[in-house]
Amino acid sequence: MHDETRLLAGGMVMLAIATGALVVVPYMTVRDVPPIEGLKPYTNEQLRGRRQYIANGCVYCHSQQPRSRNFAPDFERGWGRASVAGDYAYDTPHLLGTMRTGPDLLNIGARQPSEQWHLGHLYQPRAYVPGSVMPGYPYLFELKDKADTGDVEVHLPPGFAPAGKRVIALREARDLVAYLKALDRTYPVIPAPKAVRTVRTPEDPS
Amino acid sequence: MNTVVILLSAFVISVFGLFVFIWTQRRGLLDPSPRAAEVIFAPGEIGVVEDPAGTRETVAKLQAANPSIIGSGHAEELAERARADASTAPLVFFFLCCAFAWLLVASAAGLVASIKLHEPDWLIGQAWLTFGRIRTIHLNAVAYGWAPMAGLGVALFVIPRLLKTPLVGARYAFLGAALWNAALIAGLGAIAVGLGDGLEWLEIPWQVDILFVAGGALVGVPLVLTLLQRKVDHLYVSVWYMGCALFWFPVLFLVANIPGLHRGVQEAAMNWWFAHNVLGLFYTPLALASVYYFLPKIIGRPVQSYNLSLLGFWGLAFFYGQVGGHHLVGGPVPGWMITLSIVQSMMMIIPVVAFTVNMHGTLEGRLSALRYSPTLRFIGFGGLMYTVSSIQGAVEALRTLNVVVHFTHHTVGHAHLGMYGFVTMVFFGAIYFVVPRVSGREWPSPLLIGAHFWLAAIGITIYFISLSYGGWLQGVAMLDASRPFMESVTLMLPYLKARSIGGALMVLGHLVFVLHFVLLLTTKPSGRNQPTLLQAI
Ligand code: HEM
């Protein structure tokens, strides 16, 4: 046999082993875990909001995966219990994230249910949290002299609204906030189903 | 208990499997005769230094620093090498021009993203400039623009030399590269208008990915054709790395991008399998192959131990593929998968040490060459950073440390140590070597090469140290629930600013680099510089 055939065959076997472990086995075991009771599918509006979350790259600063209490104090920070595979049954693409420049958002809907707060925070985070490094998203809003009927006006804290203008949330912003408010995995994880149990590490029970 | 069993068996199986495999491969590849390591030299050429990026004087000094007997090189083989170079010249030149362009785009986007992290109200009016998009443009321009264009360009230059065969079918690669670049422009455009896929490292929509697949396959064609016509008996180490990388990448890319195949946490596992393997099984082997070729070539001495190269190669091939799960430590994915990844992350120390010992042995007693060879300076720096970043990565995977650094800027520091300190610096060095050979002109100014080196080296040092230290503090603050979250945000500010300064130096270095390249193209070769291609014959 030629060297190159052996080389490439060997190389591909190595990759196949890795793919088996990291892609195929998870495919067979955790791809189709059933949603946990209490988890609702996203509405169309929330799905559009999820697109906005993706399009504007919120995932590069926010994770959606609280860790278990005996590993890290995510619960104590108010981010929620450790998530399990069934919490993500409706999540394509996944938005677990690997960065916490900002807080974990898997349960932001439970933590902060106010639409006005979210809209205002998206328009200018520093109006609510001084020192925040989250960017504002003014392009998701429109400035008008006066609000028309049906407009959702954002009431910013004094000093942050542009002088003489009204800040109106565009549909993109409203969708996004609908998605954020839907981020709520505070329902309990029922311990019984086997498929769910297998996804926690034994030393790392939720 | 269970975890320990899994951990142990994963460890035992992997090591056993690996050694069985190396054993079956030993014939031919594990050739104890040093001839295999010498194929990069023509008969009688060992001892002759080569650095086309140097001036006459520095090359003379480089040669003088080399105490071994000087051969002269077999004229016929040298002519053959010149023919191999000539066969690749236009193609390699095209790849490198693309690489230069993407380097500038990518680093400008990176700098903008960096500044935005401490000036959050800067440039927020336009959607495409928002942090989430410009950061993603940066990553994709680096990952699919600069790194593959530079890496494949160098591979296309090196492989015909190593096979002692002119490149066959270069026009396929031209077409492929054109498609690839068109795909990247379309992909970055899609990200800019908010049509990204949402998976880190895989943001480019799958419709555009089809173009990448076609382009990549076309680039592979001449390499396969050339391999089939090779005139050497021994496949040199660099060919193993480059050859496998070119077959690994399409599999990764294809599996990862098939629409509708992945879902939920399984998709997360796939995501990091892909993202880590792009680093480990594509950029890393291309860069290591460059080190294995250029370092011995420049100092005129074969790689010290061919057997260590073998261990380094198969160790990387085996362990690297399985480390992706360490990006999800503590996450909602199967525990055994994370444990496996942590074990294999630690095992990566084996191939890394094998590489390090080997290169150290090869350079031993020739360290002064670093002073006289601009190419070697970059490649030496890069090789060292391979060792440092790999060891750091292995340690970072351990749960006790990972819990601190996982969600912080510390990982971004690590990413740049690997992608910049190692991969990018090695490609810089390789480009300094390759450009005179393919263009027939010499770099006009050693001063500019020096400026580039120091800007890049100092820049990445500032970048790495500030983010590593700041990111650690950020992680410690986040782990202490009694400190408000905002503390972890505000304490990062000085370190994020320092990163912008480091990054600005790097960008300045890139400007110097590209400017120098433009000068090389526009100035007429001066008297002292004969076209290097002719000199070699
Ligand atoms: C051409 C050389 C470069 C390469 C190969 C490179 C590579 C990378 C990689 C792999 C990432 C992803 C990191 C992660 O998500 O963990 C990244 C992100 C980033 N890079 Fe670069 N980079 C380069 C140059 C620069 C420069 C010059 C700057 C300027 C400061 C920069 C700033 C950034 C920023 C701000 C991020 C985003 C980090 C975050 O999400 O918080 N990079 N780069």
Side-chain angles (χ1 to χ4, degrees):
Chain A
M1 226 192 335
H2 287 305
D3 279 354
E4 50 264 50
T5 324
R6 266 206 315 225
L7 173 76
L8 293 177
M12 292 327 263
V13 169
M14 301 289 176
L15 180 58
I17 295 172
T19 311
L22 268 59
V23 180
V24 179
V25 178
Y27 186 90
M28 296 188 307
T29 54
V30 289
R31 180 179 186 266
D32 298 307
V33 282
I36 297 188
E37 206 180 300
L39 178 68
K40 290 196 279 298
Y42 296 111
T43 65
N44 279 339
E45 186 189 26
Q46 290 159 1
L47 279 178
R48 285 198 308 270
R50 204 167 188 272
R51 275 293 336 158
Q52 288 299 322
Y53 189 94
I54 294 167
N56 294 298
C58 312
V59 71
Y60 305 110
C61 285
H62 291 289
S63 61
Q64 292 191 12
Q65 46 163 329
R67 294 174 288 184
S68 81
R69 298 185 71 167
N70 54 16
F71 192 53
D74 294 5
F75 182 85
E76 284 71 19
R77 287 211 174 275
W79 295 342
R81 62 164 169 80
S83 58
V84 296
D87 287 325
Y88 303 95
Y90 301 116
D91 280 20
T92 346
H94 83 91
L95 293 171
L96 294 184
T98 53
M99 193 69 184
R100 284 184 181 161
T101 304
D104 192 277
L105 292 183
L106 192 65
N107 289 296
I108 184 64
R111 194 156 74 239
Q112 180 51 275
S114 159
E115 180 181 42
Q116 273 295 322
W117 187 92
H118 278 300
L119 286 172
H121 183 256
L122 281 174
Y123 183 77
Q124 176 48 284
R126 278 152 295 289
Y128 301 81
V129 185
S132 172
V133 296
M134 174 161 152
Y137 293 88
Y139 57 84
L140 299 179
F141 299 84
E142 193 182 6
L143 296 184
K144 284 188 176 176
D145 291 327
K146 74 183 221 329
D148 297 320
T149 43
D151 279 352
V152 176
E153 188 181 344
V154 187
H155 302 287
L156 290 154
F160 287 97
K165 294 276 183 190
R166 312 215 159 239
V167 180
I168 309 295
L170 292 177
R171 172 157 172 201
E172 286 85 349
R174 283 181 278 135
D175 288 344
L176 178 53
V177 171
Y179 170 64
L180 293 175
K181 283 168 64 184
L183 286 176
D184 179 352
R185 267 82 164 173
T186 47
Y187 48 78
V189 184
I190 322 145
K194 206 168 148 282
V196 176
R197 275 258 296 280
T198 53
V199 303
R200 301 306 308 174
T201 66
E203 54 159 32
D204 195 22
S206 51
Chain B
M1 201 277 308
N2 215 346
T3 318
V4 179
V5 174
I6 296 171
L7 203 136
L8 272 179
S9 46
F11 183 84
V12 172
I13 292 172
S14 59
V15 176
F16 178 73
L18 183 70
F19 283 106
V20 168
F21 186 78
I22 295 184
W23 181 76
T24 63
Q25 294 279 310
R26 77 203 184 286
R27 245 182 4 144
L29 286 183
L30 183 71
D31 194 329
S33 88
R35 270 186 309 138
E38 289 169 10
V39 293
I40 65 170
F41 300 102
E45 199 197 11
I46 292 176
V48 182
V49 302
E50 180 178 4
D51 186 2
T55 60
R56 275 265 171 84
E57 303 87 74
T58 57
V59 172
K61 284 197 188 127
L62 183 61
Q63 187 68 65
N66 185 346
S68 64
I69 314 136
I70 300 176
S72 60
H74 199 273
E76 202 176 306
E77 280 226 7
L78 291 184
E80 193 155 28
R81 185 184 301 154
R83 274 199 295 279
D85 285 359
S87 74
T88 55
L91 184 62
V92 172
F93 188 75
F94 180 62
F95 271 84
L96 295 186
C97 288
C98 298
F100 281 117
W102 290 121
L103 178 66
L104 290 187
V105 172
S107 38
L111 189 57
V112 172
S114 175
I115 294 172
K116 277 172 161 281
L117 277 177
H118 50 84
E119 307 297 334
D121 288 320
W122 182 55
L123 295 180
I124 52 173
Q126 305 262 333
W128 70 277
L129 282 170
T130 193
F131 174 80
R133 295 195 192 171
I134 199 75
R135 177 236 186 250
T136 310
I137 290 174
H138 164 62
L139 178 77
N140 281 274
V142 160
Y144 300 105
W146 155 249
M149 282 301 121
L152 293 174
V154 172
L156 284 166
F157 174 82
V158 166
I159 289 179
R161 274 188 162 208
L162 289 175
L163 301 177
K164 303 193 173 166
T165 314
L167 191 75
V168 188
R171 60 180 188 282
Y172 296 107
F174 261 117
L175 184 61
L179 276 182
W180 182 284
N181 284 289
L184 185 54
I185 293 169
L188 295 185
I191 291 166
V193 299
L195 292 174
D197 266 353
L199 293 189
E200 263 177 83
W201 289 85
L202 293 165
E203 287 95 346
I204 295 179
W206 65 266
Q207 291 87 343
V208 177
D209 291 334
I210 298 171
L211 277 180
F212 277 111
V213 173
L218 285 169
V219 173
V221 169
L223 293 170
V224 174
L225 292 180
T226 311
L227 204 59
L228 291 177
Q229 307 212 349
R230 71 183 159 111
K231 299 207 184 88
V232 281
D233 294 331
H234 293 286
L235 289 181
Y236 185 66
V237 203
S238 300
V239 181
W240 313 344
Y241 280 109
M242 286 171 169
C244 277
L246 289 164
F247 278 78
W248 283 327
F249 180 73
V251 177
L252 295 172
F253 194 75
L254 213 68
V255 171
N257 280 304
I258 294 177
L261 188 62
H262 311 287
R263 175 132 49 92
V265 296
Q266 178 268 333
E267 193 176 35
M270 182 286 294
N271 194 172
W272 291 108
W273 160 84
F274 174 82
H276 210 102
N277 280 343
V278 165
L279 299 169
L281 298 181
F282 189 54
Y283 310 132
T284 299
L286 288 179
L288 286 180
S290 308
V291 178
Y292 267 109
Y293 179 73
F294 291 110
L295 188 141
K297 195 80 191 71
I298 290 166
I299 63 171
R301 179 201 257 181
V303 165
Q304 189 202 30
S305 161
Y306 212 60
N307 293 352
L308 275 182
S309 323
L310 196 82
L311 182 63
F313 175 75
W314 289 112
L316 177 127
F318 186 76
F319 297 125
Y320 228 137
Q322 305 171 33
V323 305
H326 69 212
H327 290 265
L328 292 164
V329 177
V333 288
W336 60 263
M337 193 187 97
I338 290 177
T339 306
L340 173 73
S341 286
I342 296 175
V343 174
Q344 306 302 44
S345 301
M346 290 311 282
M347 296 301 286
M348 268 304 293
I349 292 179
I350 295 177
V352 170
V353 168
F355 169 86
T356 311
V357 170
N358 210 359
M359 288 305 151
H360 182 260
T362 309
L363 261 182
E364 190 151 31
R366 304 278 169 86
L367 281 178
S368 60
L370 287 172
R371 285 230 304 282
Y372 304 123
S373 164
T375 308
L376 191 61
R377 214 178 306 151
F378 280 97
I379 291 194
F381 185 96
L384 192 64
M385 290 308 128
Y386 173 60
T387 310
V388 178
S389 63
S390 301
I391 306 277
Q392 190 206 8
V395 176
E396 237 182 283
L398 295 174
R399 279 176 210 271
T400 37
L401 291 181
N402 190 275
V403 70
V404 182
V405 300
H406 187 43
F407 290 113
T408 71
H409 291 282
H410 188 91
T411 19
V412 180
H414 168 67
H416 285 81
L417 189 66
M419 250 332 244
Y420 195 92
F422 162 46
V423 174
T424 298
M425 289 299 259
V426 167
F427 289 161
F428 285 157
I431 290 175
Y432 276 117
F433 187 104
V434 171
V435 165
R437 286 285 181 261
V438 299
S439 68
R441 290 160 181 234
E442 291 185 355
W443 294 100
S445 160
L447 207 71
L448 288 180
I449 302 185
H452 176 204
F453 178 79
W454 288 111
L455 283 169
I458 295 172
I460 184 64
T461 308
I462 296 177
Y463 190 122
F464 175 70
I465 292 178
S466 58
L467 282 197
S468 300
Y469 185 65
W472 179 265
L473 297 182
Q474 181 195 9
V476 170
M478 268 199 270
L479 277 190
D480 182 351
S482 67
R483 300 166 72 178
F485 179 82
M486 276 307 289
E487 225 178 275
S488 75
V489 176
T490 37
L491 73 77
M492 268 314 289
L493 285 175
Y495 303 102
L496 290 173
K497 288 176 186 158
R499 186 262 295 269
S500 288
I501 294 172
L505 294 180
M506 286 147 68
V507 175
L508 200 62
H510 304 162
L511 288 173
V512 169
F513 185 33
V514 174
L515 177 84
H516 198 187
F517 180 63
V518 173
L519 282 179
L520 174 143
L521 296 182
T522 50
T523 47
K524 274 210 298 254
S526 72
R528 82 173 159 81
N529 302 323
Q530 297 164 20
T532 24
L533 206 84
L534 298 178
Q535 224 169 33
I537 299 180

